[in-house]
Amino acid sequence: MTVDTSAGAWASVTDVVGQIWQAATTPVAAPDTSVVMVTAAVAVAVVLVTPVWRVARHVVTIAHEGAHALAALLTGRRLSGIRLHSDTSGLTVSYGRPRGFGMILTAFMGYVGPGLIGLGAAALLRQGYAVGLLWLLVLLLTLMLAQIRNWFGLWSVLVSGAALVAVSWWLEPQAQSAVAYTVTWFLLLGAVRPVIELQAERSRGRARSSDADMLARLTRLPGLFWVVVFLLVTVGAAVLGGLWIVGPVGD
């Protein structure tokens, strides 16, 4: 007698997918205000304490390069690959017209990407989808893996994804919510510091190939103009996202 192991394996996979879908699409109660404030405080500490920031900044770099890649795809450019480096820098390579809207949007989205992702995450939290947010981030990281072109980048994305899977699968809903809120606060607040660091580097005569300077060459508007725009967008996203987070769920 032969046993059809493939049918059993497929049933197990569909069962796991069903459990994930159920958890991701079921709203959960918002944590207490005190918990929300603690998660905000943790995110602030991570952003402001430089030794911790140097490690956590890799998460912002993943969001930064992911935003470049998404903008390139949405504007019809051909994505060649993404590299993430141990010094928290990154590079997204795409091919297409060297000038025009597609190239401008691709260059623009990097620094504002983490804040806009954080704003979207805040919108999901506002509707009670904290667990859904965690699984959505896992999905986005999985899609990003296909475009990673170096070992450190592969390691960074895999570690980030594995951490989110562990939280989403094994922790209790209250702990999952706390992690989702912390990640969202971090994306919102962590998007601002790289813009400030960018201008600090530019003022020292460095970062000549930065996104702001690339936009200056593409648009003939000065690089400082684009830094200010980056700052306005990221600060605006942080303020609006913060208001959404602290507001009542579902409003």
Side-chain angles (χ1 to χ4, degrees):
M1 183 179 66
T2 60
V3 179
D4 188 357
T5 57
S6 62
W10 178 250
S12 298
V13 170
T14 56
D15 181 59
V16 169
V17 171
Q19 291 181 54
I20 292 174
W21 180 256
Q22 179 67 25
T25 56
T26 301
V28 296
D32 293 338
T33 302
S34 60
V35 175
V36 175
M37 292 299 101
V38 168
T39 61
V42 170
V44 169
V46 171
V47 172
L48 295 182
V49 178
T50 298
V52 181
W53 168 249
R54 286 173 181 158
V55 177
R57 197 184 192 281
H58 289 291
V59 175
V60 177
T61 302
I62 290 172
H64 178 117
E65 299 304 329
H68 276 316
L70 179 60
L73 291 173
L74 290 178
T75 55
R77 298 180 62 80
R78 182 166 60 87
L79 189 60
S80 177
I82 300 170
R83 291 179 176 270
L84 306 170
H85 304 296
S86 59
D87 62 356
T88 72
S89 65
L91 177 66
T92 299
V93 179
S94 64
Y95 294 98
R97 292 181 58 191
R99 307 187 71 86
F101 176 75
M103 190 64 208
I104 292 172
L105 185 64
T106 300
F108 176 76
M109 284 300 295
Y111 277 96
V112 303
L116 295 179
I117 294 170
L119 188 61
L124 288 175
L125 294 182
R126 187 177 177 84
Q127 299 301 320
Y129 293 108
V131 180
L133 168 61
L134 295 175
W135 282 116
L136 177 60
L137 293 175
V138 170
L139 175 61
L140 294 175
L141 288 173
T142 302
L143 294 174
M144 191 174 181
L145 271 177
Q147 295 297 330
I148 298 296
R149 296 293 183 268
N150 68 326
W151 285 111
F152 185 84
L154 182 66
W155 179 85
S156 296
V157 175
L158 282 175
V159 168
S160 300
L164 288 173
V165 169
V167 169
S168 304
W169 188 256
W170 282 294
L171 292 189
E172 294 298 319
Q174 296 88 343
Q176 292 171 341
S177 290
V179 171
Y181 275 78
T182 303
V183 169
T184 302
W185 280 119
F186 175 70
L187 288 170
L188 291 170
L189 301 174
V192 179
R193 180 164 176 172
V195 180
I196 298 172
E197 292 175 341
L198 169 64
Q199 185 53 31
E201 290 293 299
R202 294 183 73 253
S203 67
R204 300 187 186 103
R206 304 171 187 171
R208 296 296 187 184
S209 60
S210 71
D211 294 345
D213 294 283
M214 181 182 296
L215 285 165
R217 292 189 291 271
L218 290 169
T219 64
R220 298 185 181 179
L221 295 170
L224 181 59
F225 168 84
W226 290 107
V227 174
V228 171
V229 173
F230 294 160
L231 191 61
L232 290 174
V233 173
T234 53
V235 171
V239 171
L240 181 57
L243 291 174
W244 284 354
I245 290 173
V246 299
V249 170
D251 282 6

